[in-house]
Amino acid sequence: MSVWFDEVLHDGVGQRLEVEEVLYEGQTEFQDIKILRNKKFGRIMTLDGVVQTTEGDEFVYHEMFAHVPLLAHGGARRVLIIGGGDGGLLEEVLKHDVAHVTEVELDGGVVEVSKRYLSSICGQAYEDPRVNLVIGDGAKFVAETDQKFDVVLVDSTDPIGPGAVLFTRQFYAHCKRCLNPGGILVTQNGVPFVQGDELESSVAHFRSLFADGSAYVLSCPTYALGFMTLGWASDDAGLRQQSVATIQARFDALGIETQYYNPAVHVAAFALPNFIAKLID
Ligand code: SAM
């Protein structure tokens, strides 16, 4: 008899993934962690019943999360990641010529389980000497630190439980204080077809704090129900309006291979379908 993992995506809507094997199941101080195996997506990490990442499609989200802001910036040396315990975003960020990455993840259990079961996603990222892993609350970290970063990436869970604080105006204000001039903030902002309020509220906060606030889209199969958005904030609107040629030159200099990201997709991702644009305008 087949066993299925059912994820509730919204009131009355869900997705089903057949479970070939449960590789890990455990409870930390903060959440329930599962590593499942599915025929199509390979290993899947869930936290409190919500899909976080899968071997099959993680490249979409992590490439777009890392390469869009880093190539738009063009000279980032210091990066801060809040959340992101699966290590997939960290692994992509480290492909750039960065000198230092601090990752602040609330739950050390997520990092440990990812290192053990998701090495195809995080690789050896946590062993890289440029990385400073801090186990703690990202909101507390940005409120207290005097360090400065060129790019801040908020790879959080949805705004329920411990992730909720990472969607507040106060948190974004502290992120802005941690940014060097010319810095960029990018945030996980959900699937607007069903989580439109989340995007609307984050971008309103960005616009009250930064000269420019917007979002860009990506399409990742297990973040179901249409485009997912990553929120974007900076004090320079020009950073999200660069030409394909400019981004292409930086991408070529980096010399990496990608499966979803390319400079044309980068530039096009800022073109928002009307129903998404309406949420933030
Ligand atoms: N791509 C993902 C998704 O599907 O939403 C997010 C991946 S990553 C696993 C999310 C991480 O954010 C989790 O490991 C969680 O522990 C962490 N997190 C939640 N709240 C946090 C907080 N306040 N400070 C730091 N990390 C937090």
Side-chain angles (χ1 to χ4, degrees), residues 28-45:
T28 70
E29 185 189 338
F30 302 101
Q31 52 215 342
D32 156 89
I33 309 180
K34 285 191 181 62
I35 303 287
L36 314 172
R37 199 181 63 232
N38 170 269
K39 215 174 288 168
K40 179 67 191 165
F41 290 100
R43 294 184 177 196
I44 298 172
M45 171 182 269

Side-chain angles (χ1 to χ4, degrees), residues 30-31 45 47 50-53 61-62 65 82-86 104-107 110-111 136-139 155-158 160-166 188 223 228:
F30 302 101
Q31 52 215 342
M45 171 182 269
L47 295 179
V50 178
V51 172
Q52 299 295 306
T53 192
Y61 177 79
H62 293 134
F65 214 143
I82 304 289
D86 54 65
V104 187
E105 162 60 55
L106 183 69
D107 192 345
V110 175
V111 176
D137 181 11
D155 184 10
S156 67
T157 43
D158 289 331
I160 328 153
V165 69
L166 306 180
Q188 190 278 102
Y223 302 143
M228 168 172 211

